[in-house]
């Protein structure tokens, strides 16, 4: 790993959510992207939500890499992403409205899979099926699209380049959905829509082999920022299964979702909210169901960028973060939303899990066991001062400094960035 822990000088940096998502990954990606040649999404789809405020304008990106706002940055939607084409063009409409020129700066992997209407319907049907336990998905077709990919029935972006063959594959997929799921959609309407967007994508040369593109960029010494969606505890393998997403959200997903070797990744920054949140169902050991939890939810505006669903809130969970470090090998931490803790008399940190009365050094794989863990807490003194105008670590109240230092001590890795407000400039680079 590079000695550059903050990503400012690295050739390839990965930004990875270290909790259950919604940590504020987009803000650091936005800041770093200005200094990188490429910004690349490697996993997920429109189930992700990055909200960025630049020049007083709020952008809500679900598919677009955050580097799209910088004229010097090439943006890549990698092969590990599942793409809903109409949603992509809705987001491009935000850029058109605000006169952000992205000509020649956005490409999509020809190996990325397409989210189509039948798969959206399959997702909604699965969630509403009373015979199945509610998983709390975004209903954006993500799971069914990755399922179709694994079953080798999926449609890839590159298929759009060969329209006649695409139509055969498209109708074959929809026939299977009708037969197996009873799903009926207006195929002709969707075909007309996809044909219109296909022509635009081809005319703009946006469908490319991103594997060779990124490989050649690396050979030329270009700098690449890998932008993750979702987070460690939502990973299909390592998360709180089945309350997870359907892709590889961890550092391994950078390799499989962009086609880069592990040795190319120099810096891995884990994005950590100063407290913990999660959306949807599943165990949440440090959850606060009291007034403090409501305070964090209200003050932190904890509602999903993609679904608008309220997020469950709780204290910072150190065992979860240690687990993320085990998997991702984080070089450092970007601690976000520290300002939200302002005003609390006391702040607790969950430092250990106890199972059957004994401290454990692992995250139980079975949800029945995870739901039974007790949390051992330490209590830190809070602070009252507004920290939103702090520019350096030493500007922070001593209590806030102590909170950050305690996190570093408990995790054994440094905090490199500290978020102290929603605006782009409200972030502290910690020496």
């Amino acid at each position: 790993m590079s000695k550059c822990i903050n990503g400012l000088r690295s050739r390839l940096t990965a930004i990875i959510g270290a909790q259950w998502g919604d940590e504020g990954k987009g803000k650091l990606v936005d800041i770093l992207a200005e200094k990188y040649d490429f910004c690349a999404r490697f996993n997920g789809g429109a189930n992700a939500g990055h909200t960025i405020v630049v020049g007083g304008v709020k952008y809500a990106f679900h598919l677009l890499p955050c580097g799209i706002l910088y004229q010097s940055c090439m943006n890549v939607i990698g092969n590990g992403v599942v793409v809903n084409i109409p949603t992509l063009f809705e987001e491009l409409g935000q850029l058109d409205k605000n006169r952000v020129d992205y000509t020649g700066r956005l490409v999509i992997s020809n190996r990325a899979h397409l989210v189509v209407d039948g798969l959206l319907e399959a997702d909604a049907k699965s969630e509403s099926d009373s015979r199945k336990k509610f998983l709390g998905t975004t209903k954006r077709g993500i799971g069914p699209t990755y399922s179709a990919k694994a079953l080798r029935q999926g449609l890839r972006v590159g298929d759009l380049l060969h329209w006649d063959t695409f139509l055969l594959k498209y109708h074959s997929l929809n026939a299977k959905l009708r037969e197996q799921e009873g799903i009926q959609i207006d195929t002709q309407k969707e075909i007309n829509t996809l044909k219109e967007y296909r022509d635009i994508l081809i005319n703009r040369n946006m469908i490319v082999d991103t594997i060779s593109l990124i490989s050649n960029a690396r050979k030329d010494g270009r700098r690449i920022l890998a932008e993750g969606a979702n987070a460690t505890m939502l990973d299909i393998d390592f998360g709180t299964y089945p309350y997870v997403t359907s892709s590889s959200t961890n550092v391994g997903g950078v390799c499989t979702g962009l086609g880069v070797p592990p040795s190319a990744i120099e810096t891995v920054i884990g994005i950590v909210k100063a407290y913990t949140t999660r959306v949807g169902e599943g165990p949440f050991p440090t959850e606060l169901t009291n007034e403090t939890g409501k305070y964090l939810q209200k003050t932190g505006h904890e509602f999903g960028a993609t679904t608008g669903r309220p997020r469950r809130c709780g204290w910072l969970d150190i065992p979860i973060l240690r687990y993320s470090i085990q998997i991702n090998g984080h070089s450092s931490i970007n601690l976000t939303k520290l300002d939200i803790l302002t005003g609390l008399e006391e702040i607790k940190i969950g430092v250990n899990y106890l199972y059957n009365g004994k401290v454990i050094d692992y995250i139980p794989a079975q949800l029945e066991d995870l739901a039974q863990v007790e949390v051992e807490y330490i209590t830190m003194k809070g602070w009252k001062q507004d920290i939103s105008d702090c520019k350096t670590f030493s500007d922070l109240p001593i209590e806030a400094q102590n909170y950050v230092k305690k996190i570093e001590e408990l995790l054994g890795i440094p905090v490199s960035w500290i978020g102290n407000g929603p605006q782009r400039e409200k972030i502290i680079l910690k020496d």
Side-chain angles (χ1 to χ4, degrees), residues 18-19 271-273 316-326 330 333 407 411:
Q19 295 160 303
I271 312 300
V272 176
K273 196 176 289 185
L316 189 67
D317 188 323
I318 293 298
I320 289 297
L321 298 181
R322 288 176 180 144
Y323 179 63
S324 183
I325 292 168
Q326 286 178 334
H330 296 304
I333 292 297
I407 293 170
L411 296 180

Side-chain angles (χ1 to χ4, degrees), residues 215-255:
S215 178
N216 290 331
R218 287 181 52 240
K219 290 176 183 176
D220 292 339
R222 309 292 291 279
R223 302 181 67 205
I224 300 164
L225 186 63
E227 177 183 353
N230 312 120
T232 297
M233 298 310 296
L234 295 175
D235 186 89
I236 186 67
D237 290 299
F238 302 111
T240 46
Y241 187 89
Y243 301 106
V244 295
T245 191
S246 302
S247 65
S248 296
T249 62
N250 289 298
V251 70
V254 177
C255 301

Side-chain angles (χ1 to χ4, degrees), residues 91-102:
E91 293 185 33
L92 292 175
Q94 293 181 62
L95 302 180
D96 294 332
K97 178 182 177 181
N98 292 290
R99 298 181 180 178
V100 177
D101 184 13
Y102 52 88

Side-chain angles (χ1 to χ4, degrees), residues 48-61:
H50 292 169
T51 302
I52 299 170
V53 180
V54 178
V57 179
K58 181 183 288 188
Y59 296 90
F61 294 151

Side-chain angles (χ1 to χ4, degrees), residues 5-6 269 332-334 408 414-418 428-430:
I5 62 170
N6 55 32
I269 301 178
S332 69
I333 292 297
N334 169 202
E408 291 179 317
V415 171
S416 56
W417 300 87
I418 301 169
I428 296 168
L429 175 60
K430 183 174 177 290

